[in-house]
Amino acid sequence: MFLSVGVRFEANVEALNMVETAGNYGKHRRVPYLVEEEGKLKTVYVPAMSGESLAHAYQEHLVREALSAGLPVCDDCQRGEFYKSMNKVHLKKKVDPIPDNPKSIEEAIVKACVVEDVGGFLYAEKPPVRRSSAFQVSYALPVKSVALFATSEPQLHARHAQMDASSKKGNASEQMIYYVETGTALYGFTFNLDLDAVGVSAITSKPILDEDEIKKRREASLKALFRMLSSSQFGAKLSRFFPVGGITELVVAATDYPFVVTSPIYDDYIVKTKKRLEVLRSFGEESFLAVAGEEKVPEEALKEAIDYLHEKGAF
Amino acid sequence: MVNTEYGGIVKMLRFFVQTKNFSYVDRIGNALNPEPVEVALLEALRAFRSIRESAPIDKNGRMYVEKDGNKIPVPGIPSDEEIKKFLDDVRSDMGVAKLVATLALAYPSRKENSGGGE
Ligand SMILES: [Zn+2]
């Protein structure tokens, strides 16, 4: 089973993805974007959030869901440090001695950690072992039709320190002025989850875990997505730049084989997704689609999709 | 020669390269049209000014930044005429951007290796 979600969210004055600080200036991630204006294409620079940032958030939620379901998560991942068994030092914490063939290495890692099962890993030693992530996530980018109205603007902040003349050293001042570049836009992103890849070897395509364990892990990975979207706990600087806004629209499709919803950066993505699914249905493939907008809240649509997957026996 | 025409920009970009920040030089060197060059240069100048504001000064009166134990001299800010000339030239020939980025990545020749602030 394959799940694909397209999300549109409005975020005003957010600092969800900062890229670097130079002196007292913290920059928001920005990407070049091709938009049409009066029949002409032009490049504009718009605020964006990387897929890596969203993936990190998802995996943090996955840790929590897995642990509360009594599933194994390795120590590194529990701390939110997703080294993913990248070398001997990190792998040794899971399996010691380290096996000498890729199949056994993959098996040991998958058994020991749900995050590396679902989120993939790269063990860069001899022999190297690579497991693709069962979930995929795009960058969050401004919706095309309103991308020209997206802004990234620096906001001035000041940090104060109380100092009397005696404690003042050198040119340290009582006030440190700094700028935080914030973004404002209607963003869209896509999230896919291949439930068939959970607990299954990327090398042999055979299950590594028993069916019951696989089902539990699938449920945890669905709940993690639900929680991430419902709580808006993704991105950086939430403590002082929690985005003002929220999910405005969402489509969620569940299919037997990979199918990705039309990207929510296009205004007609809901209609297009429906049409594309109809074609799939005409081939006899079962599918499910739920749309959250004016009538339905995102949680309802997600819940319906999860219920559908449950009925189909995915977990 | 390019070196004298855009020397300030090359030195600034080279400073970023020395601090292991390749973002600006890559964006300028890989740009397919003038807009990304303009944006990258604007961002580079903004970041560069912030860095200069907080950079310490050594006993010879030169600004530097410490990176991995190395003291990297902070050059001067490119002049507005130089930037204007560079952007005008990029608008008519994208090769100029590529050349400037390539020079910034190259090892500086000895006679201009003095670095340092103005
Ligand atoms: Zn792990």
Side-chain angles (χ1 to χ4, degrees), chain A residues 21 85-86 93 96 98 115 117 125 127 146 164 189 193 197 200 212 240 258 266 272-273 285 289:
Chain A
T21 35
S85 310
M86 62 186 188
K93 297 182 198 168
D96 198 10
I98 292 170
V115 174
D117 177 7
E125 295 274 3
V146 291
D164 53 32
F189 72 89
L193 177 61
V200 171
D212 188 49
R240 294 299 180 270
Y266 302 112
K272 281 261 170 71
T273 302
E285 189 174 333
L289 181 76

Side-chain angles (χ1 to χ4, degrees), chain A residues 86-105:
Chain A
M86 62 186 188
N87 56 28
K88 282 180 186 160
V89 178
H90 292 283
L91 181 55
K92 264 222 170 88
K93 297 182 198 168
K94 297 184 188 79
V95 52
D96 198 10
I98 292 170
D100 55 7
N101 68 86
K103 248 172 71 180
S104 314
I105 292 171

Side-chain angles (χ1 to χ4, degrees), chain A residues 20-27 30 154 178-181, chain B residues 46-47 50:
Chain A
E20 61 176 345
T21 35
N24 63 353
Y25 194 70
K27 265 168 57 187
R30 248 181 285 173
Y178 62 103
Y179 296 86
V180 180
E181 211 173 75
Chain B
R46 178 66 185 85
S50 287

